Amino acid sequence: DAGITQSPRHKVTETGTPVTLRCHQTENHRYMYWYRQDPGHGLRLIHYSYGVKDTDKGEVSDGYSVSRSKTEDFLLTLESATSSQTSVYFCAISAIMGREVSTDTQYFGPGTRLTVL
Amino acid sequence: GENVEQHPSTLSVQEGDSAVIKCTYSDSASNYFPWYKQELGKRPQLIIDIRSNVGEKKDQRIAVTLNKTAKHFSLHITETQPEDSAVYFCAARGSNYQLIWGAGTKLIIKP
């Protein structure tokens, strides 16, 4: 599983509250991604990172921010959660720091199920 | 913008028969095409991938074909088994190391 963990695995929160999801990897991968998955929409990219403090927006970034202060951690923050952000969130990685191999192949974490009431 | 279309959205086949899922991509510069399988409640997992310098790749009962001229690629599963039931996603490599994803195909294997 490429050494990827996500926390929490399940969360229920209320509209308007901030929420932070964590993705942690142990194998020094360079690229990290946050996706959301909703029925009928497949996987949609929220944000991604290509190194420490280097991040960029994906196709559905509104309402989300990210931070990567260490190679191993990529945090996704919902600044003020809304019901439309109820979803399953997957973190993914690709590539290994210092070795530009497999930059294309992505491996996924176990996912976080978020419910916003 | 970059786009990947995947068909069909649902596919039901008899156990033992073959299943084919097709994807079309828009960016002619795409050169990497993975397929993922996602079982209910689980994470997507890579099952096979192909790069643009080859036309076909096989791994036991699974094969992927690529037609760069027509910009489409297909997943073929032969001798389907109950454990093949899942949602399958195709993707194409876009710009900035991103993958552009299809919407998924739910494969149902009938006993």
Side-chain angles (χ1 to χ4, degrees):
Chain A
D1 295 331
I4 310 167
T5 58
Q6 292 184 232
S7 59
R9 295 293 313 281
H10 302 271
K11 186 170 182 65
V12 179
T13 191
E14 294 188 349
T15 298
T17 60
V19 176
T20 295
L21 308 182
R22 180 187 185 222
C23 178
H24 179 77
Q25 52 117 340
T26 59
E27 298 183 8
N28 216 26
H29 299 287
R30 177 178 178 184
Y31 292 90
M32 300 184 75
Y33 309 82
W34 275 109
Y35 290 94
R36 61 177 290 173
Q37 186 174 41
D38 306 289
H41 289 278
L43 291 156
R44 293 184 289 175
L45 183 66
I46 305 171
H47 282 278
Y48 63 101
S49 168
Y50 41 97
V52 173
K53 297 186 179 180
D54 287 326
T55 65
D56 207 346
K57 296 179 179 180
E59 64 174 303
V60 291
S61 59
D62 287 349
Y64 301 94
S65 62
V66 289
S67 65
R68 193 168 178 200
S69 58
K70 300 184 288 184
T71 299
E72 57 266 35
D73 289 325
F74 192 32
L75 304 180
L76 176 71
T77 297
L78 288 65
E79 292 137 11
S80 177
T82 68
S83 58
S84 65
Q85 293 175 312
T86 293
S87 187
V88 178
Y89 291 86
F90 285 101
C91 172
I93 60 89
S94 66
I96 299 173
M97 189 76 78
R99 282 196 284 150
E100 294 302 325
V101 296
S102 302
T103 54
D104 299 321
T105 305
Q106 294 185 15
Y107 300 92
F108 286 83
T112 294
R113 183 172 296 276
L114 177 67
T115 302
V116 183
L117 301 176
Chain B
E2 299 165 317
N3 183 52
V4 173
E5 293 187 358
Q6 183 172 348
H7 298 281
S9 57
T10 304
L11 178 60
S12 183
V13 302
Q14 205 69 38
E15 182 178 349
D17 288 350
S18 295
V20 181
I21 303 170
K22 299 180 180 180
C23 290
T24 303
Y25 60 98
S26 60
D27 185 356
S28 57
S30 292
N31 59 6
Y32 174 69
F33 309 91
W35 285 90
Y36 286 77
K37 175 184 180 182
Q38 187 178 28
E39 297 176 349
L40 189 63
K42 302 289 182 65
R43 74 189 80 188
Q45 293 198 305
L46 179 73
I47 55 171
I48 195 168
D49 56 11
I50 191 168
R51 298 191 183 273
S52 58
N53 56 346
V54 298
E56 183 176 6
K57 184 177 179 180
K58 289 183 179 179
D59 183 3
Q60 299 182 356
R61 296 187 297 107
I62 293 172
V64 56
T65 58
L66 172 64
N67 183 328
K68 284 215 74 180
T69 302
K71 292 193 287 186
H72 67 71
F73 57 110
S74 300
L75 177 70
H76 305 254
I77 306 174
T78 59
E79 301 174 2
T80 53
Q81 300 171 4
E83 54 265 36
D84 295 329
S85 293
V87 178
Y88 291 81
F89 292 96
C90 65
R93 183 185 188 274
S95 57
N96 296 326
Y97 300 107
Q98 295 179 37
L99 290 177
I100 311 302
W101 295 85
T105 296
K106 182 176 183 180
L107 178 60
I108 300 167
I109 307 300
K110 297 181 291 186

